[in-house]
Amino acid sequence: MATADLEGVVAQVLNRLKDGEIKRGDPPKNPKGTFKAVADAVAAARSSQTTLIALPLEKRREIVANIRRRAAEDVRSLAEMAHEETKLGRVEDKIKKNLLVIHKTPGPEILEPLAYTGDDGLTLIERAPYGVIASITPCTNPTETIINNGLSMLAGGNTVVYNPHPLAKGVSSYCVDLINRASMEVGGPENIMTIMGNPTIESANELLRFKGIRLNVVTGGPAVVQAAFAAGKKCIAGGPGNPPVVVDETADLEQAARGIVSGASFDNNIICCDEKEVFAVDKIYDRLVEGLQRHGAVLLRNHQITRLQKLILQPDGRHTRHEWVGKSASAYLKEIDVPFRGDPRLIICEVPFDHPFVQTELLMPILGVVRVKDVHEGIDLAVEAEHGFGHTASMYSKNIDALHRMARVVNCSIFVKNAPNYAGLGYGGEGYTSFTIASPTGEGLTTARHFTRERRCTLAGYFRYV
Ligand code: NAD
């Protein structure tokens, strides 16, 4: 689906929600695909994978299409339940995120075969399923990751067992139930995706080490990435980020201010790709900060920054207090007695480079803005602040040399030029989406291609037509 079409769908859904036309579903009493024991969840997924690969490919396409349809119809439940359960982010942004994965996760069409023909005959290279895949999902994008991973894995002929974040287990289980019903409705198997009803770190590790599962996929912070590597199997890991933005003196400042506020406030900044800190060159710094305020950001004074720091950071001054992750800007402002009007999207703070609002992945709508003397200093500090995650970075500039340099030295899975970072996820930018950006293991935006393995079939001496 093209970006303009997706924006149309989002607008339509938001209007229908406002008019009360789309009703919220009730959680099922016995959700399909939810299991207590890891072994049972794996066995059920294995049995359904045997059924799945015996079905015609056309049926697989039909199942994928029906999951998209049913998830889109129930997008309000997915967004509201995730918000109620996790207390993170904003419902209207969760609707956008869910519609993005529903419509822009590639299906089986991305698995193009490759053929070589010549004097020695025909060799065909195809992508085959791994079988059952284990997937560990985050609380920040619970249903988005399940839908996105799930459609890609299913497109490749796999089934999947999820260990969701305990904070989002209800909505995750609801989402898997919806997916299984959508599969069965068009003649697909039940348990095409299964999930742990009572997920823990222990069940995650049991799943990651489960015999017979050939591929682990994890999406989360540093601990789960380490756990995946420690399991001693092939893994695809989407890890943490700390995306910097550089703004230089050639930038369209109106575009930069609008884009930064929109990107950094998206779902209250809980998405790993959201803008986390800004480096603005001295020449345009004041005008950029003024523009950010004009677009709805609230600028704090120094004593207010100190109070905010105490509120959201642990006594070590570096780690966040979990209870403050992903709240709306108004919640922080109320707590530190800063007056505001309406529902501000973002808080901005003028800080030095070594400040925790620059160095720490806050996952809050709070953005550190650093003054730099020129674009080169901005790029160098941005690379440092990204901490080598290789995740996401962006830049507002019309200087092709500066853009080129930043792209090369920051060397991230996603580099966005002159747009909010979510454009790099396919929202307002070209290309498909993924909610597992695998930087530690190098796949970048994951698709069915990564959840399948290469198989070569050679016929010597025949089928050369040229
Ligand atoms: P989290 O790391 O707390 O949890 C993610 C998942 O890992 C959860 O299911 C959790 O239960 C599990 N987990 C955590 N520690 C574990 C351990 N030691 N062993 C086994 N499982 C473990 O992350 P979160 O708060 O849910 O999500 C936010 C983090 O995830 C941020 O750091 C963000 O940047 C990152 N993230 C990355 C991507 C990506 O695509 N690269 C996408 C979303 C989120």
Side-chain angles (χ1 to χ4, degrees), residues 217-221 224-225 236-240 391 435-441 443 446:
V217 177
V218 302
T219 311
V224 74
V225 174
I236 294 178
H391 195 298
F435 268 57
T436 297
I437 322 292
S439 300
T441 47
E443 293 79 4
T446 50

Side-chain angles (χ1 to χ4, degrees), residues 88 135-141 145 163-167 199-205 208 218-228 237-242 270-273 276 322 325 361 363 391 434-440 444:
L88 303 171
S135 170
I136 314 284
T137 54
C139 59
T140 47
N141 315 311
T145 310
N163 198 81
H165 196 295
L167 206 64
T200 58
I201 299 287
E202 289 70 35
S203 64
N205 282 298
L208 290 173
V218 302
T219 311
V224 74
V225 174
Q226 277 312 314
N242 195 35
I270 56 175
I271 308 179
C272 51
C273 312
K276 301 282 189 282
H322 187 76
V325 168
E361 185 194 35
L363 302 167
H391 195 298
S434 173
F435 268 57
T436 297
I437 322 292
S439 300

Side-chain angles (χ1 to χ4, degrees), residues 232-430:
K233 290 191 216 175
K234 170 158 175 134
C235 72
I236 294 178
N242 195 35
V245 190
V246 173
V247 186
D248 77 8
E249 68 280 14
T250 67
D252 174 338
L253 292 182
E254 178 60 20
Q255 180 187 51
R258 189 178 56 239
I260 291 169
V261 172
S262 180
S265 65
F266 193 44
D267 213 16
N268 290 340
N269 206 304
I270 56 175
I271 308 179
C272 51
C273 312
D274 284 341
E275 294 80 345
K276 301 282 189 282
E277 66 276 344
V278 174
F279 299 92
V281 305
D282 186 43
K283 212 166 166 186
I284 50 86
Y285 183 92
D286 294 334
R287 275 187 290 147
L288 179 72
V289 168
E290 188 268 320
L292 292 169
Q293 292 177 85
R294 204 162 5 87
H295 282 281
V298 176
L299 175 68
L300 296 192
R301 295 166 191 274
N302 281 344
H303 71 279
Q304 295 166 332
I305 295 176
T306 309
R307 282 191 70 184
L308 184 59
Q309 243 174 289
K310 287 207 179 107
L311 178 73
I312 64 168
L313 296 176
Q314 293 184 24
D316 68 3
R318 288 280 156 195
H319 293 91
T320 54
R321 290 185 202 268
H322 187 76
E323 65 274 22
W324 280 105
V325 168
K327 302 293 173 253
S328 290
S330 55
Y332 309 92
L333 294 172
K334 259 185 222 151
E335 205 69 24
I336 58 167
D337 302 315
V338 174
F340 60 90
R341 266 183 289 163
D343 179 19
R345 297 270 317 183
L346 186 67
I347 296 169
I348 52 171
C349 306
E350 300 185 84
V351 289
F353 173 69
D354 58 1
H355 195 275
F357 292 0
V358 172
Q359 301 296 330
T360 301
E361 185 194 35
L362 297 177
L363 302 167
M364 303 174 195
I366 298 168
L367 195 66
V369 189
V370 180
R371 189 187 292 264
V372 292
K373 71 174 187 305
D374 59 24
V375 68
H376 292 296
E377 187 182 49
I379 293 173
D380 293 342
L381 293 181
V383 170
E384 240 183 275
E386 213 274 326
H387 303 313
F389 292 133
H391 195 298
T392 300
S394 54
M395 184 165 182
Y396 288 85
S397 171
K398 303 283 183 201
N399 177 344
I400 194 92
D401 291 326
L403 286 165
H404 179 70
R405 174 163 181 254
M406 169 98 177
R408 288 184 66 98
V409 296
V410 80
N411 194 15
C412 283
S413 295
I414 300 177
F415 179 53
V416 179
K417 301 179 274 297
N418 298 321
N421 287 1
Y422 53 64
L425 288 181
Y427 193 90
E430 279 304 322

Side-chain angles (χ1 to χ4, degrees), residues 5 9 13 17 51 96 98 159 163 192 201 209 211 214 223 229 248 258 272 291 328 342 376 389 410 412 424 428 463:
D5 297 343
V9 171
V13 170
L17 289 177
T51 311
K96 293 178 183 170
N98 276 287
T159 56
N163 198 81
I192 205 157
I201 299 287
R209 288 177 165 74
K211 203 164 167 252
R214 305 285 299 262
F229 285 133
D248 77 8
R258 189 178 56 239
C272 51
S328 290
H376 292 296
F389 292 133
V410 80
C412 283
F463 287 106

Side-chain angles (χ1 to χ4, degrees), residues 153-168:
M153 290 169 184
L154 169 59
N158 308 282
T159 56
V160 49
V161 182
Y162 290 109
N163 198 81
H165 196 295
L167 206 64

